[in-house]
Amino acid sequence: MQIKHAYTVVTSPGRNFVTLKIVTDEGVYGIGDATLNGRELAVNAYLEEHVIPCLIGRDPRNIEDIWQYLYRGAYWRRGPVTMTAIAAVDMALWDIKGKLAGMPVHQLLGGRSRDGVMVYGHANGRDHGEAIEAVGRYIEMGYKAIRVQSGVPGLDKAYGVGKGDLYYEPADKGLPDEEVWDTPLYLRHTPELFRKVRDAYGYDHHLLHDGHHRMTPIEAARLGRDLEPFRLFWLEDATPAENQEAFRLIRSHTTTPLAVGEIFSSLWDCKDLIQNQLIDYIRATIVHAGGITHLRRIADFAALHQVRTGCHGATDLSPVSMAAAVNFGLWVPNFGIQEYMRHTEATDEVFPHNYRFVNGFMEMDEVPGLGVDLDETKAARYPYQRAYLPVARLRDGTVWNW
Ligand code: EZ4
Ligand code: CO
């Protein structure tokens, strides 16, 4: 069996997605997500110019060999563009293998460890009142776990506050927007937000929060402490993690569980965090960390250190990624939680899928492969539109972490 051809599809049903399709000489095909928010065309060119020509003629069943060929064989290792491209190939090959076997990918990985994967939704509002109301709507929808983000009085914009109710999308068309950020203001208002949410709804639901890299380690330590009475499921991206040592300081001050890793591209980004048990949840995800083949390695290493998975799953990860994540989450023994942001209806139509939200959990049937497809006719209706994530600056103009 050989890979006969492969190509990418760029589509923008509300936001940009890059999808790789690999077709075999026997007609079986697989798809993989290759979307890197704000840098979509870099991955597209990496695949078209440098990866696809090397795939033609290879045996698509040799997933591990192709992974090693693309990782070691490039000489230049790691990095988000490379690892997203490798992930797209890897996902498509697992999809093909599942279809050949007549089994879902979670069966190939080792079968089901659970019936469904717990997901968390995104309640947010321009102020505490709106955010608290939004939490109520997520509880009504059946969510067991809810991330809460609110605007901060005195700031025009804050991370995680959407324009509409259900479809949070951080990227904007055109060149990057710039937003002003003020950490002391945020630190003053955030514990109060969680006190009000607990007062309103009690302690029966898991609450999560994303600091989105804005704090220094000592600021994050303070927030973690201040949030302890409200029993968070996790505080995410408390501080940037290029320096993995930075988490030691946060860890030594607070028992609020810590999650990090949505921008990691390999095990090497989280090796120290995991082996020193500086975090509780690893958020590395299939599409940005080298596919199922590599995320499985990260998860197995994490399991040795009692760190559980909490994969990224924002709207910039396509339904192909979500289908892969649900398969992975059904299997992985040290599963923690899966992020889930609803895609627009147009996106769901371009990517018909089997996974579905049932009472706080994502479920899927025993369908061969990943259980997701790409409708290329519909995809062609939505041409690429340049879009970027915002850039943050402090009040004096200094560029900060968005
Ligand atoms: O900002 O996916 O936890 N989720 C997040 C996301 C990220 C976007 C960046 O592309 O932090 O909203
Ligand atoms: Co995040």
Side-chain angles (χ1 to χ4, degrees):
M1 178 177 281
Q2 289 189 354
I3 295 174
K4 196 170 148 211
H5 63 124
Y7 55 96
T8 58
V9 173
V10 181
T11 180
S12 194
R15 70 153 358 275
N16 295 313
F17 294 111
V18 181
T19 310
L20 173 69
K21 184 162 178 172
I22 297 180
V23 186
T24 69
D25 55 355
E26 296 180 14
V28 179
Y29 67 88
I31 56 175
D33 186 14
T35 308
L36 184 62
N37 203 354
R39 296 291 186 271
E40 292 89 354
L41 299 186
V43 183
N44 193 55
Y46 190 107
L47 284 166
E48 282 189 333
E49 303 295 331
H50 304 294
V51 173
I52 289 174
C54 304
L55 292 177
I56 309 306
R58 280 179 203 285
D59 187 333
R61 295 170 297 187
N62 296 339
I63 300 175
E64 188 68 52
D65 181 68
I66 291 175
W67 195 96
Q68 300 292 342
Y69 182 90
L70 293 175
Y71 183 81
R72 294 171 195 252
Y75 186 63
W76 309 105
R77 299 182 184 204
R78 305 162 58 188
V81 174
T82 294
M83 297 308 279
T84 302
I86 294 177
V89 174
D90 189 75
M91 265 184 260
L93 296 180
W94 279 98
D95 193 23
I96 289 171
K97 193 178 279 296
K99 288 173 179 171
L100 292 173
M103 286 185 199
V105 168
H106 60 263
Q107 291 297 350
L108 301 180
L109 288 169
R112 285 181 185 240
S113 301
R114 54 195 60 80
D115 303 324
V117 306
M118 183 168 68
V119 294
Y120 68 91
H122 292 79
N124 63 79
R126 283 167 298 180
D127 55 31
H128 290 182
E130 273 188 19
I132 292 160
E133 274 176 34
V135 172
R137 283 195 290 281
Y138 275 87
I139 291 174
E140 274 167 32
M141 284 187 278
Y143 282 85
K144 308 288 177 251
I146 302 159
R147 192 186 85 167
V148 192
Q149 308 286 141
S150 167
V152 176
L155 290 180
D156 286 345
K157 294 211 171 143
Y159 165 76
V161 181
K163 292 160 199 117
D165 234 12
L166 290 171
Y167 302 110
Y168 171 71
E169 170 53 59
D172 276 315
K173 307 272 182 299
L175 295 175
D177 277 347
E178 296 198 6
E179 299 174 356
V180 175
W181 180 249
D182 185 330
T183 307
L185 271 186
Y186 161 80
L187 289 177
R188 204 184 312 152
H189 288 279
T190 302
E192 186 63 9
L193 168 67
F194 282 89
R195 188 186 62 71
K196 291 178 191 165
V197 173
R198 286 302 190 200
D199 284 350
Y201 303 108
Y203 282 76
D204 288 345
H205 293 83
H206 299 301
L207 298 181
L208 300 83
H209 182 70
D210 192 346
H212 222 261
H213 323 271
R214 307 284 168 96
M215 291 169 277
T216 63
I218 198 68
E219 288 168 340
R222 161 61 61 203
L223 181 63
R225 262 195 190 185
D226 289 350
L227 290 173
E228 279 172 21
F230 314 118
R231 297 286 189 272
L232 262 59
F233 186 91
W234 78 34
L235 172 62
E236 173 186 339
D237 286 337
T239 201
E242 286 107 321
N243 177 11
Q244 299 178 44
E245 272 294 302
F247 277 74
R248 196 178 286 284
L249 187 144
I250 306 171
R251 192 63 154 178
S252 63
H253 285 289
T254 181
T255 56
T256 294
L258 301 172
V260 69
E262 67 183 36
I263 66 170
F264 291 171
S265 41
S266 88
L267 176 56
W268 301 103
D269 293 323
C270 46
K271 181 177 151 289
D272 300 348
L273 287 170
I274 292 172
Q275 74 186 9
N276 296 316
Q277 295 186 254
L278 300 180
I279 56 171
D280 301 280
Y281 298 92
I282 178 67
R283 284 180 50 71
T285 192
I286 289 168
V287 59
H288 298 136
I292 291 168
T293 297
H294 193 66
L295 193 68
R296 180 170 61 175
R297 273 187 191 124
I298 295 177
D300 281 343
F301 182 65
L304 300 180
H305 302 89
Q306 291 171 286
V307 173
R308 293 189 281 168
T309 64
C311 299
H312 189 202
T315 39
D316 48 302
L317 285 77
S318 89
V320 181
S321 274
M322 185 52 61
V326 175
N327 274 286
F328 193 84
L330 284 172
W331 158 71
V332 72
N334 50 325
F335 175 77
I337 200 165
Q338 169 65 46
E339 180 177 18
Y340 172 54
M341 273 188 196
R342 297 153 60 103
H343 286 112
T344 61
E345 278 165 31
T347 299
D348 285 340
E349 279 175 21
V350 170
F351 297 97
H353 51 261
N354 183 266
Y355 63 81
R356 60 191 172 273
F357 176 85
V358 183
N359 208 17
F361 292 80
M362 207 55 85
E363 296 182 356
M364 75 187 310
D365 303 316
E366 296 285 306
V367 290
L370 292 174
V372 62
D373 210 344
L374 170 68
D375 184 327
E376 293 181 56
T377 312
K378 286 189 180 141
R381 288 186 204 149
Y382 305 103
Y384 170 79
Q385 291 185 284
R386 172 170 288 128
Y388 286 91
L389 291 168
V391 170
R393 289 185 188 274
L394 301 180
R395 290 198 190 276
D396 69 356
T398 309
V399 172
W400 197 244
N401 317 308
W402 175 74

